[in-house]
């Protein structure tokens, strides 16, 4: 090995850099432990403690914030917290750009775009397709050629010319939303938040490690902050209209029994004598829990469960036709529910302008802060700009004279409706008061300062993991890591003796390099990432095994230990096999990185880093240890007395058994296809959309009984045992595609009600749904994937698998200069994939662990592809070597010899990797068990296919005649 001193120098420097980078993680963890001890379980107190030392120098001149920025970031499955993908409503942006056009063809194109949107197709592209199909002229004055865009869009432009302009405007709106969300999150107080735009899809990824108040955060993220100030109608101004609505509905609706009505309410205002039977058995007034009093800003109180019915009534065309001239610009809106009485809410009648919009919008707000009102209750104080202050003075002056109120409306919810008793308010100072908590006023002030979103933000994918579950994942991951690593170290010493010991030292250095590199790059460590590291350990052994086996062969050929070692580390020895094998695995890891999300990207990242460091440590670090040993005249044998004769002088006729292998494989593939066609796969929410919850109870529960109870609540639901009998995985599609910040909370509340009889009596909704340290009962994790994004995930997964097969085929064809090598490798990989899918199809209702087909499963399939190719490439490389240097014209015998001489490497590598995977499967925890099982099965099948499918197919496609020509040609060379 040339330049050994330089290599040793760089290895030592790299090791020191890794130790330095990892030291930040240890320091950060120590400080967090101190904060937890100080807070004694109070999360807010813990955050305040960490915030207070954020700018203090705590380590080698670095502040605590700088230390946390340099530590290894833990993913949500290890840290706990919230991960969401927000979809900015491109439809709303387009409607805004078109100035809320009433053009029927344009609005039909908007609707058709959502209905016809294909997997992985952006909504805006689907809209342009629909607009062209409907022959919409995009540059028309009532579409995008309006006064808002007349500087960039001219009437004579074609649709093709308009498209890039509108796409740019939409992208600007998405970027604006990104900035607004980033400002909100930065002020929320979560450590190490991550927010990023996902390409040009209009989607924004938000990761909040350690976040616990899930409902509050989702509300913060989804609120558009559309603040408006409306005048209210008085009860006597709308009373006659409401009576007209009542009479009209009596003719079309089935009468229902109403709640008792107070005589001092609406009826006493409309008639001389209260008619208590007029509201009884009535479809509209009968739903009124209490009418608004004279002088009150609202017109009545209704049960929250009836709000959808009331909305439907008021939106009906025949009901709208009853509006008198003085109410032509009315808008009805519901008030904010009170935490003490969440079952009822107030209905307001708002007075709009001629265009039926608010007289004043929140765009005039220049500052907002949380405060307390005159009664000491939480409130939000706002300051307006000059134009807003003048308009505010006009509105408050008019309201003061008329005796009505000003409704402060945020995202179509009336937060408060104060009256104005002391004349017009000057200076632009205003206040929102009502039934707020301190946290609500802080959040409201935050979003008002950050500004409004340009369009609605819908959570299309979310994942919530509790901190307790994250700690369990860390414990399980580390246990599997230690056991798997220990078994590999033991095996290397047993099989290779002293050289195995030196390989183990290189493996330890490899672990240091992996974690140091993760810290240096700021990569996120996830549970699949830990699996990737443990798997990398098994694969790292592979490079050493290839080198050691090659050295053993050279020793058998009469070379000295020094000569055999030197040759094993040459390109003609083991290096070409190591590079080809690792490149094919790296290809699949890169594709995973490109197409995967979240934990899958974490797995791909650690796998890529592991591949790189494994090659470095095997080729250079192991060589340094071996050279050091040889310089001291130590005896190296690359085997022990026990294993010295293993796999020697083998002469198995693998190709002679190919017909049996073809029959066996044909039967397995046929059975797999049959099961896939008849039984299908247990597709997870990643592929079909839906909501999943991991719920733990304080006692064993019956999954069928829980399923029946939840079906009564949701209409469709499924509960499965997940780990032990006290833990269930619950899946439902209830309202998964509905928008709005309150939908997720509504589903959580329904889940709580459906499971209440199985939960401890003292477990409140907040404890059931939200996250906190030490949580053992309730929702430990949850996920949501809407139908739109599940199509994208399915499309990405398909492209990931097909793309990896194509790229590997091209690489092998170029590397081996024969298309048959790439073709046979791809055939073997397709064989492995179909059989793994078939096993998951047949056994998912039988085996006692989760066997869902999701993104993690696709990662497993791609890992299997990489591993299977790894095995196959080693054999092909030996065939290529024999073609280069062997004088035998017997191509079949040459291929058989290649299989026999590489068998020890195939068995050794597969055995060590399987040992590691079995450790992860047993000790790694329920959440990763199905993922690991897929890789386990895949490696077993892949090892078989590299021996009995890939190589025989290569030999058959080349043919004996062509093979003989190849051998003879090489001989002449």
């Amino acid at each position: 090995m040339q330049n050994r001193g330089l290599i040793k120098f760089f290895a030592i420097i790299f090791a020191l850099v890794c130790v330095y980078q990892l030291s930040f993680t240890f320091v950060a963890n120590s400080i967090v432990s101190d904060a937890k001890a100080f807070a004694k379980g109070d999360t807010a107190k813990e955050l305040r403690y960490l915030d207070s030392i954020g700018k203090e120098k705590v380590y080698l001149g670095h502040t605590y914030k700088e230390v946390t920025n340099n530590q290894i970031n833990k993913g949500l499955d290890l840290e706990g917290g919230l991960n969401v993908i927000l979809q900015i409503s491109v439809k709303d942006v387009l409607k805004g750009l078109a100035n809320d056009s009433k053009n029927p063809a344009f609005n039909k194109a908007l609707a058709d775009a959502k209905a016809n949107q294909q997997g992985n197709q952006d909504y805006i592209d689907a809209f342009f397709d629909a607009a062209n199909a409907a022959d919409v002229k995009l540059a028309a004055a009532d579409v995008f050629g309006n006064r808002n865009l007349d500087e960039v869009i001219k009437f004579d432009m074609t649709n093709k010319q308009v498209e890039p302009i509108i796409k740019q405007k939409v992208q600007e709106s998405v970027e604006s939303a990104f900035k607004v969300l980033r400002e909100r999150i930065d002020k929320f107080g979560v450590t190490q938040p991550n927010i990023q735009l996902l390409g040009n899809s209009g989607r924004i990824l938000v990761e909040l490690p350690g976040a616990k108040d899930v409902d509050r955060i989702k509300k913060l993220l989804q609120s558009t902050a559309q603040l408006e100030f409306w005048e209210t109608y008085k009860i006597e101004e709308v009373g006659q209209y409401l009576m007209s609505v009542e009479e009209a509905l009596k003719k079309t609706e089935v009468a229902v029994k109403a709640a008792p009505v107070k005589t001092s309410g609406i009826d006493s205002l409309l008639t001389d004598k209260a008619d208590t039977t007029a509201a009884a058995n009535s479809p509209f007034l009968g739903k009124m829990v209490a009418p608004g009093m004279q002088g009150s800003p609202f017109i009545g109180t209704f049960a929250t469960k009836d709000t959808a019915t009331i909305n439907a009534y008021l939106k009906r065309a025949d009901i709208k036709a009853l509006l008198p001239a003085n109410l032509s610009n009315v808008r009805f809106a519901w008030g904010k529910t009170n935490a003490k009485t969440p079952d009822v809410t107030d209905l307001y009648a708002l007075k709009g302008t001629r265009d039926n919009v608010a007289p004043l919008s929140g765009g005039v707000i220049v500052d907002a802060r949380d405060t307390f009102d005159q009664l000491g209750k939480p409130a939000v104080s706002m300051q307006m700009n000059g134009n807003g202050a003048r308009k505010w003075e006009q509105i408050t002056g008019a309201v003061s004279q008329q005796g009505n109120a000003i409704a402060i409306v945020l995202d179509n919810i009336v937060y408060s409706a104060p009256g104005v008793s002391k004349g017009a308010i000057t200076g632009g100072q205003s206040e929102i008061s009502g039934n707020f908590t301190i946290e609500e006023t802080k959040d409201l002030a935050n979003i008002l300062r950050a500004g409004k979103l340009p369009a609605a933000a819908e959570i299309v994918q979310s994942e919530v993991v509790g901190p307790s579950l994250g700690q369990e994942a860390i414990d399980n991951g580390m246990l599997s890591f230690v056991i798997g690593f220990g078994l590999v170290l033991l095996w290397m010493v047993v099989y290779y003796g002293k050289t195995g010991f030196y390989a183990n030292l290189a493996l330890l250095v490899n672990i240091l390099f992996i974690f140091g590199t993760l810290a240096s790059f700021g990569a996120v460590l996830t549970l699949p990432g830990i699996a990737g590291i443990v798997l990398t350990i098994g694969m790292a052994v592979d490079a050493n095994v290839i080198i050691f086996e090659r050295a053993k062969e050279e020793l058998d050929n009469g070379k000295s230990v020094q000569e055999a070692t030197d040759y094993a580390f040459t390109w003609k020895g083991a290096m070409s096999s190591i590079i080809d094998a690792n490149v094919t695995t790296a290809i699949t890891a890169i594709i995973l990185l490109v197409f995967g999300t979240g934990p899958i990207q974490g797995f791909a990242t650690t796998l890529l880093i592991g591949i790189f460091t494994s090659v470095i440590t095997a080729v250079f670090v192991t060589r340094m240890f071996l050279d050091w040993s040889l310089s001291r005249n130590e005896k190296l044998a690359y085997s022990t007395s026990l294993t010295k004769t293993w796999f020697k002088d083998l002469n198995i006729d693998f190709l002679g058994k190919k017909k049996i292998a073809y029959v066996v494989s044909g039967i397995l593939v046929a059975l797999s296809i049959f099961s896939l066609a008849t039984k299908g796969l247990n597709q997870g929410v990643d592929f079909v959309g839906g909501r999943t919850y991991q719920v733990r109870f304080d006692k064993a529960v019956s999954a069928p009984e829980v399923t029946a109870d939840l079906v009564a609540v949701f209409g469709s639901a499924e509960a499965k045992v997940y780990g032990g009998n006290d833990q269930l995985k619950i899946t439902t599609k209830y309202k998964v595609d509905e928008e709005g910040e309150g939908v997720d909370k509504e589903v959580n509340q329904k889940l709580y009600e459906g499971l209440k009889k199985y939960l401890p009596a003292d477990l409140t909704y907040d404890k059931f749904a939200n996250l906190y340290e030490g949580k053992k009962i309730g929702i430990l994790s949850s996920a949501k994937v809407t139908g739109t994004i599940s199509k994208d995930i399915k499309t990405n997964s398909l492209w990931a698998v097909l793309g990896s097969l194509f790229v590997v085929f091209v690489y092998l064809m170029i590397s081996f200069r024969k298309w048959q090598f790439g073709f046979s490798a791809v055939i073997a990989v397709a064989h492995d994939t179909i059989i793994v899918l078939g096993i998951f199809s047949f056994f998912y209702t039988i085996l006692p662990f989760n066997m869902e087909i999701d993104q993690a499963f696709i990662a497993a399939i791609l890992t299997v592809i990489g591993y299977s190719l790894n095995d196959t490439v080693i054999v092909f490389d030996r065939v290529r070597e024999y073609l280069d240097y062997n004088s035998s014209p017997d191509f079949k015998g040459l291929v058989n010899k290649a299989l026999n001489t590489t068998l020890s490497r195939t068995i050794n590598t597969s055995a060590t990797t399987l040992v590691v995977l079995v450790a992860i499967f047993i000790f790694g925890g329920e959440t990763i068990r199905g993922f690991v099982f897929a890789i386990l099965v895949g490696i077993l099948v892949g090892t078989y296919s590299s021996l009995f499918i890939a190589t025989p197919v290569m030999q058959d496609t080349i043919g004996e005649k062509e093979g003989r020509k190849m051998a003879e040609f090489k001989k002449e060379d």
Side-chain angles (χ1 to χ4, degrees), residues 492-507:
M492 290 298 289
V493 173
V494 168
Y495 195 86
Y496 291 108
K498 188 174 290 186
T499 50
F501 172 75
Y502 291 131
N504 287 343
L505 292 179
L507 279 177

Side-chain angles (χ1 to χ4, degrees), residues 286-289 302-312 334 343:
K287 289 183 170 58
M288 192 180 287
V289 176
F302 293 80
T304 306
K305 63 182 179 62
D306 290 330
T307 55
T309 303
I310 300 300
N311 287 340
W334 296 101
D343 296 331

Side-chain angles (χ1 to χ4, degrees), residues 424-443:
I425 300 174
T426 60
Q429 186 71 32
S430 60
E431 186 177 79
I432 306 177
S433 59
N435 298 307
F436 293 110
T437 64
I438 292 176
E439 287 77 13
E440 285 176 328
T441 57
K442 287 182 181 294
D443 291 346

